[in-house]
Each structure stands twice: as structure tokens, then as C-alpha cells.
């Protein structure tokens, strides 16, 4: 990141675990009220105070509501116990999050891994159900220890988080991966996707950078190989939610592919200068 730029807050959100306790308390009161209503309706039915069929229907409804609120009570109690209160702030210079009385501050240049694994089903741009987390991992410059922020739907819309974080994480991780390859070190993005200085290994297939084609469609990272005749063949497909540093990988690979293809054309023209200069028929 440019150190001359002033720090600017891009996004902030917070989560209080006590909200789950309040929801659990309300659900408990609603469950007690529902079961009490069911008991009163049963007493009314035994005393023939109203139509029996009507009382049976309303009693069943009260029992169903009581069971639902009981489930909600235990659900929120589990959330209250398992989750921590947290505040998250995204800046143009880095990320800060606070939980358990500890403040974690990292600059973007310390990012080492980003995986967008949060997913959900949305209706009118509102989540019906959401699962997974966007994981942003940093490395301390002094201790070399790693710290990870996991952003789930409990903090807000993971898609908004992704749109803000991806450009920064992609730039930094692409630089890190490029440095590793220049040092002759492989980079593993997935258990079946490994980058090497001369190309990558997708599944059990090794592909040179000049013969590689990469695209992302509908949440799938598609790896293709170019044949000597110029035709593309799909080698492997990966769910982007299971691949690390997809944005950085795309930035790095686009440059490497262009570089190696230009070098390939140069060597081909150098080997056949006459054919390269002759006019096409």
C-alpha cells in the first residue's frame, strides 16, 4: 500500500454476543407463553367451554409454536456460548479487529492468504441462509506467527467484505507468490493445484505457462491447456471457495502467460526470420 496515502476507513461492523442472550431470553418467554396457552386450551376443552375441534386446532398450534421457540432458545444459547463479541474495521491501509480485549492490527503488505469461502442463498439481495467464511490471514513481521480473521454472515454481508478486501489481498498475494517462484519455491493453492517457476501442476498434469489458459466462471476456476495446434482442452476445474488466493493467482498468472507467450514468439521468429518477415499469401 502507498504509505503516503492517509488512512481512510472503508468499512466497519461489530457483533455483540449479548444479542444472542437477549434473543434466547425472548424465545424462552415466548416458549413458556405458548406452552401455557396450550395447557389453558386443554383445560378449556376438558370443561367443554368451547367447540372441541377449534380448541384442538389452537392447542396444536400453541404446541408447535412452543416447540419452535424452544429450538430458537437453544440455538441462541449455543451462539451466545460459542461466539465472541468482535469489532472489525477495514481501512485502505490495512485491517483491525478487536475481540476478547485484544486489538489485532495488520497492514495489507502482511497478508499471506485469502480464501472467499462464504456462500449463501439470497432473495431480493437478502440472505435466506448463509454458511462458510471469508478468511483473511496475516503474518507478523517479527514473530512470523500467523493470525486469521474469519468474516461470516453474522458480521454482515460477506459479499461486501469480499468486494472491499479482494483488490488489496490480490495485489499483495500475487507479489508474494511471484517472489516465491523467483526463489524457485513452489506455491500450493489447493492440494491439487501447485505453482512452479516454469508452470503449474493441475491434478497430475503439468502445464507450461505458455500453454496455460485460466478462467473463472460461475464460481469455478477452470484450468485449460493449449495443444500444439492451438486448441484448448480443459484439464481441471476447482471450486473457487476451496482455493487460496484466487485473486492473486489470476493477477500473477495473467502476467506470466503473456510473458512466456511473448518469449515463445520471439524465439520462434528468431529461429525462422525469413518466414516471420515474408508477406502472407
Amino acid at each position: 500500500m502507498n504509505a503516503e496515502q492517509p488512512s481512510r476507513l472503508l468499512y466497519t461492523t461489530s457483533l455483540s454476543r449479548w444479542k444472542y442472550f437477549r434473543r434466547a431470553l425472548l424465545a424462552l418467554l415466548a416458549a413458556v407463553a405458548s406452552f401455557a396457552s396450550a395447557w389453558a386450551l386443554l383445560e378449556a376443552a376438558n370443561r367443554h367451554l368451547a367447540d372441541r375441534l377449534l380448541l384442538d386446532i389452537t392447542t396444536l398450534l400453541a404446541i408447535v409454536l412452543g416447540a419452535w421457540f424452544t429450538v430458537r432458545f437453544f440455538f441462541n444459547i449455543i451462539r451466545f456460548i460459542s461466539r465472541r463479541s468482535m469489532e472489525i474495521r477495514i481501512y485502505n491501509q490495512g485491517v483491525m479487529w478487536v475481540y476478547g480485549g485484544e486489538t489485532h492490527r495488520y497492514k495489507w503488505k502482511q497478508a499471506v492468504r485469502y480464501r472467499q469461502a462464504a456462500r449463501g442463498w439470497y432473495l431480493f439481495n437478502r440472505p435466506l441462509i448463509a454458511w462458510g467464511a471469508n478468511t483473511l490471514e496475516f503474518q507478523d513481521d517479527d514473530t512470523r506467527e500467523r493470525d486469521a480473521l474469519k468474516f461470516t454472515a453474522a458480521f454482515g454481508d460477506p459479499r461486501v467484505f469480499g468486494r472491499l478486501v479482494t483488490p488489496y489481498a490480490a495485489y499483495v498475494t500475487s507479489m508474494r507468490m511471484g517472489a516465491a517462484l523467483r526463489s524457485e519455491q513452489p506455491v500450493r493453492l489447493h492440494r491439487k493445484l501447485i505453482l512452479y517457476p516454469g508452470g503449474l501442476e493441475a491434478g497430475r498434469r503439468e502445464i507450461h505457462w505458455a500453454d496455460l489458459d485460466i478462467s473463472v466462471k460461475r464460481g469455478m476456476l477452470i484450468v485449460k491447456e493449449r495443444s500444439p495446434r492451438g486448441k484448448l482442452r480443459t484439464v481441471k476445474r476447482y471450486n473457487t471457495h476451496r482455493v487460496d488466493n484466487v485473486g492473486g493467482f489470476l493477477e500473477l498468472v495473467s502476467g506470466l502467460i503473456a510473458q512466456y507467450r511473448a518469449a515463445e514468439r520471439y524465439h520462434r521468429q528468431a529461429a525462422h526470420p525469413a518466414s516471420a518477415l515474408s508477406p502472407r499469401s
Side-chain angles (χ1 to χ4, degrees), residues 95-225:
V95 178
M96 182 190 80
W97 67 94
V98 182
Y99 71 92
E102 297 182 358
T103 301
H104 304 253
R105 292 187 180 91
Y106 294 96
K107 295 181 179 180
W108 287 115
K109 66 178 182 179
Q110 295 174 274
V112 293
R113 186 175 74 92
Y114 178 55
R115 178 180 291 193
Q116 260 184 293
R119 288 172 284 176
W121 295 337
Y122 294 84
L123 181 63
F124 302 114
N125 213 33
R126 296 183 63 85
L128 296 177
I129 183 172
W131 65 94
N134 291 345
T135 303
L136 186 58
E137 191 172 311
F138 296 90
Q139 181 171 275
D140 188 275
D141 294 332
D142 299 323
T143 64
R144 314 303 294 176
E145 293 182 355
R146 294 193 176 192
D147 197 4
L149 168 65
K150 293 182 179 293
F151 191 99
T152 66
F155 299 106
D157 192 340
R159 297 173 300 177
V160 175
F161 179 85
R163 285 194 294 268
L164 290 172
V165 168
T166 297
Y168 296 98
Y171 175 77
V172 175
T173 55
S174 67
M175 298 293 287
R176 284 186 177 273
M177 289 187 289
L181 294 179
R182 288 191 295 272
S183 301
E184 303 292 327
Q185 298 177 2
V187 177
R188 182 183 295 272
L189 304 180
H190 182 276
R191 63 187 183 90
K192 293 185 178 181
L193 180 60
I194 307 172
L195 312 186
Y196 294 98
L200 61 75
E201 180 181 337
R204 297 182 179 180
R205 183 77 175 177
E206 295 182 358
I207 309 173
H208 190 270
W209 294 121
D211 300 326
L212 182 66
D213 182 84
I214 297 290
S215 61
V216 176
K217 294 181 180 179
R218 298 180 181 178
M220 299 298 294
L221 177 66
I222 305 172
V223 178
K224 295 182 179 180
E225 183 180 15

